[in-house]
Amino acid sequence: MADSSPRTTAGIGRNDTDHRQPDRKLAASKRRRHAMTATRALHARSLSDPEGFWAEQARRIDWETPFETVLDDSRAPFTRWFVGGRTNLCHNAVDRHLAARADQPALIYVSTETGQHRTYSYAELHDEVNRMAAILQQLGVVKGDRVLIYMPMIPEAAFAMLACARIGAIHSVVFGGFASVSLAARIDDAQPRVIVSADAGSRGGKVVPYKPLLDEAVNLAAHKPERVLLVDRQLAPMALTAGRDQDYAAWRERVGAARVPCVWLESSEPSYVLYTSGTTGKPKGVQRDTGGYAVALAASMDYIFCGKAGDTMFSSSDIGWVVGHSYIVYGPLLAGMATLMYEGTPVRPDGGILWQLVEQYRVNIMFSAPTAIRVLKKQDPAWLTRYDLSSLRLLFLAGEPLDEPTADWIQQGIGKPVVDNYWQTETGWPIIAIQRGIDPLPAKLGSPGVPVYGYDLKIVDEATGAECPPGQKGVVAIDGPLPPGCMSTVWGDDDRFVKTYWTGVPGRRCYSTFDWGVQDEDGYIFILGRTDDVINVAGHRLGTREIEESISSHAAVAEVAVVGVHDALKGQVAMAFAIVRDAGRIATQADRIALEGEVLKTVDRQLGAVARPARVFFVNALPKTRSGKLLRRAMQAVAEGRDPGDLTTIEDPTALAQLQEAMQG
Ligand code: PRX
């Protein structure tokens, strides 16, 4: 377990290598060697003795039945952790804390959109989760059933997730920013018995109705849920479909102070499915186990996030993304902390709101995304010092590359260490980080840090699978078995799990992250972007193929290619290049503008504004190889004003020039 000595809050990066002060420099270097040893030692031990290491970590949670085998990799890559052990995520996140901290805040809810705020103690959270579990049971949900949660950031969304975990139902949360076609694809894949939703969300002061999108999605989907449970926030009118649609408030009254026992699950039984984008247009359902996830999160709260029972954590993400699952809902609650759930933007009512919340709720640990910080950079810097941030120990940032100016700006501005961490929906918790709960290894700007215990991370040559020496770019890969908490399979498609993740690197049976990376002499990893067609817009992971499919559904479009293009604020934006069926549709500039607007509306309606490209340019040809493969990387380079590289395979060399012209025009 982590040592319990007071944790350092020494600055990271440049502060630790101050050349003007030799004694400080020496101390820092000594500290670094020591630190390297502790982090490295734990990492080495986790790989040389995974059973021993993870058996110790498993003591962080309650088991109703102890496990018999720590690790079963006999059917690799379908690794099973804590085989035979029975546990329950909701018990560990809620019930387990009642004895010691029933009256302590568990869930702090703040909406700057509606002005609503409310703190639920562990006892109150327990009550609400029990009620929600009783409702779901009465609506017919049993162990193993899927419950799709399509909700704004309201407490009921967390109640629903925890209630599913309580009764052994598998939740599948779909980000509220997705629209009907995205939602329908997820309904058909997950086949939920019940959907939990609400009348509307609100963003930037604007009501975003959910119910009409949900109705349209259910119409489009082949699978029909038996029941839809709706929270009426009274933000938007809501038409209820008799028999199918159920009013949450009425049910809540009806079940009263219900108590629903936890259903104990075997460790490998699924807790949830969370869809994420990949290379194809069809989203992948990342399936997570129960015991491994609970243990991995509990360990990460200590070793990586330095969270202690009684602390308050504020993750400014959304429950629709993996950060929301792991570090708004499960992680902090497993650790007996209070979690702050926030509906709102970082700039409303003003650019100080995040820091105001830190002061008001005495937040100790914050987790956000680099884009949110870049948004704040456009605000008056005085906001960073207006509030009392003395409670705050660390600011974690993840989800996209953290550029040095942004890291520097926020670190100096709030005077707190910033901790970059790298991971994926698939892994559920950090792969690369400075693990400050183990020791204060100094950070290097531009790198999320070193491999985390449990991950046998390698930078490998994409063509041979051989390990790359320091300084050589390769694919960030993980030799199996993956540690506890990582995805167990693709929901309903074991074959896809193996083919997608475990066969991508020739000559090596390893998990591919689909990221490029490079390691330096000290073992720090630098992430250099995706190897596939996934793009990262404001920390939101999107598949270009899904966007292409949506644009292609517009009758005027014959063909389209979408690429991610660098953007100073959002990291990347999607840029679409389309060929029209009938050149007459874009005869004039006004025609082009009108058609671009129509295409963007199509994406908004089908996928949601989150997937909307920044621009749609119309061209006569797309750059392809002679065998018809799109030259996406060359397109991206041209769109970013870079050299497109080797073009020997291009079929029509004028196509790239056309892209350039279209963008300039
Ligand atoms: O490309 C990497 C990027 O985001 C991808 C995973 O996104 P998602 O599944 O949404 O999970 C986000 C969990 C925080 C990765 O494959 N990415 C994530 N964190 C970083 C990052 N790129 C650079 N630096 C990071 N810290």
Side-chain angles (χ1 to χ4, degrees), residues 322-323 398-401 420-425 515 530 536 541:
V322 71
V323 176
E400 53 178 323
D420 186 3
N421 56 114
Y422 160 88
W423 48 293
Q424 312 182 298
T425 304
D515 279 302
R530 296 281 302 195
N536 199 319
R541 173 167 162 185

Side-chain angles (χ1 to χ4, degrees), residues 355-392:
W355 316 114
Q356 186 190 325
L357 293 174
V358 169
E359 176 184 283
Q360 191 172 348
Y361 294 101
R362 306 297 298 155
V363 170
N364 308 106
I365 293 156
M366 215 172 147
F367 191 146
S368 192
T371 293
I373 306 301
R374 288 192 293 264
V375 166
L376 294 182
K377 258 166 105 179
K378 292 182 179 282
Q379 307 285 312
D380 183 351
W383 287 120
L384 300 182
T385 47
R386 180 160 304 189
Y387 295 98
D388 173 11
L389 304 185
S390 57
S391 60
L392 187 64

